[in-house]
Amino acid sequence: MSLTIPDARRNASPYLYGREAASVARVLEAGQFGHTDLTAEFERRIAAYLGVPDVVAVSSGTAALHSALLATGIGLGDEVIVPSMTFCATVQAIRAVGAAPRFIDVDPATLCVTPQLVVDAVTDDTAAVLPVLFGGRAVDLSSLREDLAERGVVVIEDAAHAFGSHCGSEHVGADVTALTCFSFGPVKNLTCGQGGAVIPRTPEEAAAVRRLRMLGVTQSQSERAETTSYQVEGFGLRYQLSSINAAIGLAQFDHFDATVRSRRHLWRAYSDALDALEGVTLVDVDHTVPHLCQVRVLHRDHVFAHLRARNIGVGVHYPPNHLQPAFARWTRDLPATERVSREILSLPFHQHLTEADVHRVVTALGHALKATGGP
């Protein structure tokens, strides 16, 4: 069977290194598909890479956010500061614990929150700050950590886009004053097919997330197999990372250095090619492991339609959440977010692309700008 290699018609696509199928086949042959020693191995490998004492793998990035909020006691009556510029999963996790989102604006240059925007939003009801590491860019809130800690405000990072990126000299996830939540979904920098992880601050938080991910049961699968009973200590969900997904993640992780080089090279190729275009602002995610390549353009909707009609797989990440019907109760005036949300355009960005694909996309973008009234 021949496979069609994805090109610029796809906005995003997983990239496989060749051993993923065999790794999954070994799990299927073993007949143990749930949380097994393979999942624990994946956790150990990620912890060693990040330089942290513990990692708790879960079934998705959304499950990671939900579990982190539950483990830190965020709930009914609490307020969580969060940028509107994020995927709706971030906000749904806040709503899942009964808390209220307090939407804040972003810096238009980075699409991320800043310390000042966070400070301006904190109220007496604020229980957590949930910065989103948009496109892979770290968000440094170190200047606020002491003040937030004194107020009892926890920082939970939505680092779904940012596995492998750095904040200063440390990997994202290595900050012991914040919980960090990663996604290992289908098109993330590191994919498990589907998966996520919480990086806890303390052993107690790690234990809490482990209970939550397995329906409140305290014993591991191997421990339960050796006894006639088990103990349920509290509320929990079926959020564990399956060994099938862990096998994919481990096969991917063996090549993660190559992933980093490839994604950075692709982003720089876009950056160089886009220099020749007027009327385009590139959202800078250099010095990260880029997850997206985004530009800001006028007449975005017309440019989008022009490019899609020519088989260029552009997308939009993301429509702002404070304008969504589901979250209308918490709508606020966020001028920067509303402005950039009308301009942002995600160019095709995945490891199957060649430099020729990049130039094709940028050339088509130039034609689209001219056709829609741009420079």
Side-chain angles (χ1 to χ4, degrees):
M1 180 179 68
S2 61
L3 297 177
T4 301
I5 297 175
D7 57 18
R9 290 170 290 185
R10 295 274 290 274
N11 183 255
S13 180
Y15 186 87
L16 303 181
Y17 286 96
R19 289 179 26 206
E20 291 85 356
S23 298
V24 170
R26 285 194 292 272
V27 174
L28 297 178
E29 290 166 2
Q32 294 288 333
F33 303 162
H35 181 109
T36 68
D37 290 343
L38 208 59
T39 309
E41 181 185 349
F42 179 75
E43 292 174 327
R44 288 192 295 270
R45 293 280 301 277
I46 298 301
Y49 176 79
L50 297 176
V52 298
D54 206 353
V55 169
V56 185
V58 292
S59 56
S60 70
T62 308
L65 290 168
H66 189 200
S67 298
L69 288 161
L70 287 169
T72 52
I74 309 301
L76 190 65
D78 290 331
E79 178 183 84
V80 179
I81 292 173
V82 63
S84 175
M85 184 59 67
T86 182
F87 187 45
C88 61
T90 313
V91 188
Q92 294 288 23
I94 295 168
R95 294 298 302 128
V97 299
R102 181 169 174 80
F103 292 117
I104 63 172
D105 230 333
V106 292
D107 179 349
T110 65
L111 305 185
C112 293
V113 303
T114 66
Q116 190 60 53
L117 289 166
V118 172
V119 166
D120 292 345
V122 173
T123 73
D124 291 342
D125 294 324
T126 302
V129 177
L130 211 166
V132 176
L133 283 58
F134 207 101
R137 174 184 288 275
V139 174
D140 186 0
L141 297 182
S142 57
S143 62
L144 306 182
R145 293 287 159 79
E146 187 173 331
D147 181 55
L148 292 175
E150 288 177 358
R151 290 170 170 262
V153 177
V154 65
V155 177
I156 300 173
E157 296 184 315
D158 181 343
H161 292 178
F163 184 77
S165 291
H166 281 76
C167 185
S169 61
E170 293 183 324
H171 276 111
V172 167
D175 181 355
V176 297
T177 66
L179 293 89
T180 300
C181 298
F182 291 114
S183 170
F184 303 124
V187 296
K188 296 301 192 294
N189 296 348
L190 176 69
T191 183
C192 291
Q194 192 61 268
V198 178
I199 316 302
R201 297 173 298 178
T202 65
E204 291 76 21
E205 286 176 349
V209 177
R210 286 196 162 92
R211 285 194 300 272
L212 284 163
R213 74 173 178 188
M214 193 50 211
L215 300 165
V217 176
T218 56
Q219 291 84 8
S220 68
Q221 181 175 322
S222 58
E223 289 170 333
R224 296 197 306 275
E226 299 299 324
T227 183
T228 59
S229 185
Y230 56 81
Q231 190 163 327
V232 183
E233 290 201 350
F235 176 76
L237 296 155
R238 187 172 286 281
Y239 273 174
Q240 74 271 31
L241 182 73
S242 79
S243 55
I244 295 172
N245 296 113
I248 297 170
L250 285 166
Q252 284 270 307
F253 190 69
D254 286 339
H255 300 274
F256 191 63
D257 287 345
T259 297
V260 172
R261 289 192 300 270
S262 176
R263 297 185 80 89
R264 286 177 173 166
H265 175 79
L266 180 63
W267 192 88
R268 286 192 294 268
Y270 265 122
S271 179
D272 291 344
L274 288 164
D275 275 344
L277 291 186
E278 293 182 23
V280 176
T281 301
L282 177 64
V283 178
D284 185 7
V285 289
D286 203 5
H287 307 297
T288 71
V289 182
H291 175 63
L292 298 168
C293 182
Q294 293 180 291
V295 294
R296 291 170 52 199
V297 297
L298 297 178
H299 314 297
R300 190 274 314 279
D301 289 2
H302 295 296
V303 172
F304 175 91
H306 184 99
L307 291 170
R308 294 291 298 190
R310 285 152 183 79
N311 290 319
I312 302 295
V314 287
V316 173
H317 300 86
Y318 299 100
N321 286 283
H322 73 288
L323 301 179
Q324 296 287 359
F327 312 126
R329 177 180 170 186
W330 301 280
T331 293
R332 302 178 65 216
D333 185 27
L334 301 176
T337 295
E338 290 173 27
R339 184 174 69 254
V340 298
S341 72
R342 293 190 295 267
E343 299 174 350
I344 52 172
L345 188 70
S346 297
L347 304 180
F349 193 78
H350 53 82
Q351 288 172 252
H352 298 280
L353 296 176
T354 65
E355 289 194 27
D357 291 321
V358 169
H359 285 283
R360 178 184 164 222
V361 171
V362 173
T363 298
L365 177 58
H367 291 156
L369 291 170
K370 290 179 181 178
T372 55

